[in-house]
Amino acid sequence: MLVFSKIISVQQEIASLKNGTTIGFVPTMGALHEGHLSLVERAKKENDIVVVSIFVNPTQFDNADDLINYPKTIDKDLALLESSYCDIVFTPTPQEIYNNDIQSQSYDFDGLELQMEGKFRDGHFNGVGTIVERLFEIVKPSKAYFGEKDFQQIQIVRKMVEKRNLPVKIIACPIHREKDGLAMSSRNVRLTKEQRAAAPFIYKTLKKAKAKFGIKNASEVVKWVGNEFKNHPLFNLEYFEIADEDTLLSVETKNPTKKYRAFIAVFAGKIRLIDNISL
Ligand code: AMP
């Protein structure tokens, strides 16, 4: 496994590959877990080589505390990747990516950026678009792998690829969960013992909401979820929405020809957790 922190070095390595070599790319912010590794495995099955980037992208954080406290475990990450199917790791510094101008470009994602995460995290998807486009430019992947854990992000990246006509195929991978149902996340290590023990409540609520939608209208399910969290001693609900998978717009009733998902964001103290479920 090769590790590069300079753009020029990773580009030279990629340019030296035999013509026609397919590259599967997995962008991450590090603090790797089995969810990330499942993307690497899938990428290796479908490509000749796998490139993983580890970069905590400052422009996608709307909250300075969250950026400072984002877990950084580079030695452990490299050891995990070494024993996985990863061929090349790219670990740039913010300066390498942004020079001295740590700013996002502005994107129009046809309104996808105005929903949910976009509504609650100011500028988040401009940051995501900026870093993903930059990394695609550097790595030139055939296919790029993203987790459905961040479902809205996948739709945003797909929209960017479509609008900018980028030569990369976006592959969506299922959410990896802990045995008790909690969606794996780099932020889970920041939960207290008590919060961690209670956290499966989030996915349990999503599953119950799934069972209700269809029998009940979305607004009734939204109200029910709100009540479930109202008196919870550890969690504060930021949003729960039932939306069309393609437009990400909230819906009220179920149309059997369309695909829907329920999306949730919850605060455990200062730690923000997200999850979603296909309905
Ligand atoms: P992150 O490092 O959190 O930015 O995530 C990097 C990639 O891994 C993104 O495409 C995420 O959606 C994906 N990912 C994170 N957690 C999971 C998970 N539990 N299951 C599947 N993919 C995940």
Side-chain angles (χ1 to χ4, degrees):
M1 187 177 83
L2 300 169
V3 183
F4 300 104
S5 57
K6 295 284 176 211
I7 294 171
I8 182 79
S9 318
V10 76
Q11 279 180 324
Q12 272 170 0
E13 178 60 28
I14 287 165
S16 75
L17 297 169
K18 219 171 66 195
N19 251 352
T21 303
T22 55
I23 300 173
F25 177 44
V26 182
T28 81
M29 298 205 297
L32 301 181
H33 50 66
E34 281 171 46
H36 296 112
L37 297 181
S38 71
L39 271 55
V40 174
E41 196 170 326
R42 172 90 180 266
K44 189 62 179 186
K45 281 194 184 129
E46 301 179 357
N47 300 274
D48 299 322
I49 72 156
V50 177
V51 178
V52 175
S53 62
I54 297 178
F55 180 63
V56 183
N57 175 36
T59 62
Q60 72 188 67
F61 285 79
D62 63 324
N63 177 323
D65 269 1
D66 191 26
L67 173 59
I68 291 164
N69 292 316
Y70 198 84
K72 292 161 194 92
T73 57
I74 186 70
D75 293 338
K76 191 172 153 234
D77 292 350
L78 291 177
L80 272 176
L81 290 175
E82 183 81 73
S83 59
S84 80
Y85 296 94
C86 176
D87 299 290
I88 296 175
V89 191
F90 180 44
T91 59
T93 59
Q95 185 167 16
E96 185 71 7
I97 294 290
Y98 290 102
N99 290 314
N100 287 323
D101 188 23
I102 302 193
Q103 279 195 49
S104 302
Q105 294 175 52
S106 220
Y107 291 85
D108 172 4
F109 297 113
D110 290 349
L112 292 174
E113 74 279 22
L114 303 176
Q115 308 305 319
M116 300 178 290
E117 292 300 283
K119 215 184 290 176
F120 288 94
R121 299 183 71 188
D122 195 26
H124 173 64
F125 287 121
N126 279 333
V128 169
T130 303
I131 186 60
V132 172
E133 189 170 22
R134 183 90 179 96
L135 290 170
F136 283 179
E137 234 169 59
I138 296 167
V139 175
K140 298 192 172 32
S142 327
K143 295 181 179 170
Y145 295 80
F146 292 86
E148 287 181 344
K149 162 94 185 339
D150 302 280
F151 191 86
Q152 187 172 8
Q153 171 171 276
I154 298 182
Q155 301 302 53
I156 291 273
V157 172
R158 284 197 168 125
K159 181 62 78 182
M160 182 177 77
V161 165
E162 176 199 315
K163 285 194 143 188
R164 307 223 161 183
N165 230 332
L166 305 178
V168 53
K169 190 165 177 213
I170 304 305
I171 310 288
C173 303
I175 302 175
H176 237 68
R177 298 184 179 281
E178 301 288 353
K179 281 200 183 73
D180 58 15
L182 175 64
M184 287 186 182
S185 163
S186 305
R187 290 184 175 87
N188 290 351
V189 296
R190 296 186 55 210
L191 297 171
T192 64
K193 249 190 177 162
E194 202 187 5
Q195 289 166 338
R196 174 62 192 86
F201 178 73
I202 300 167
Y203 183 51
K204 277 189 191 142
T205 307
L206 281 183
K207 284 197 291 190
K208 287 185 191 164
K210 176 180 171 120
K212 287 180 192 292
F213 185 55
I215 306 166
K216 292 180 183 295
N217 284 342
S219 52
E220 292 172 280
V221 182
V222 169
K223 199 166 158 202
W224 177 81
V225 170
N227 278 331
E228 287 295 284
F229 278 90
K230 207 178 241 159
N231 299 316
H232 199 287
L234 297 175
F235 302 129
N236 281 314
L237 182 65
E238 185 172 50
Y239 66 75
F240 170 82
E241 287 194 19
I242 292 179
D244 181 302
E245 277 200 359
D246 295 324
T247 63
L248 300 180
L249 294 174
S250 291
V251 296
E252 178 57 2
T253 52
K254 205 172 189 174
N255 170 342
T257 64
K258 297 214 161 153
K259 284 188 177 170
Y260 302 104
R261 236 164 230 269
F263 298 86
I264 195 165
V266 170
F267 276 99
K270 286 187 169 169
I271 300 146
R272 189 170 179 278
L273 302 173
I274 59 168
D275 200 350
N276 67 79
I277 191 167
S278 161
L279 298 174

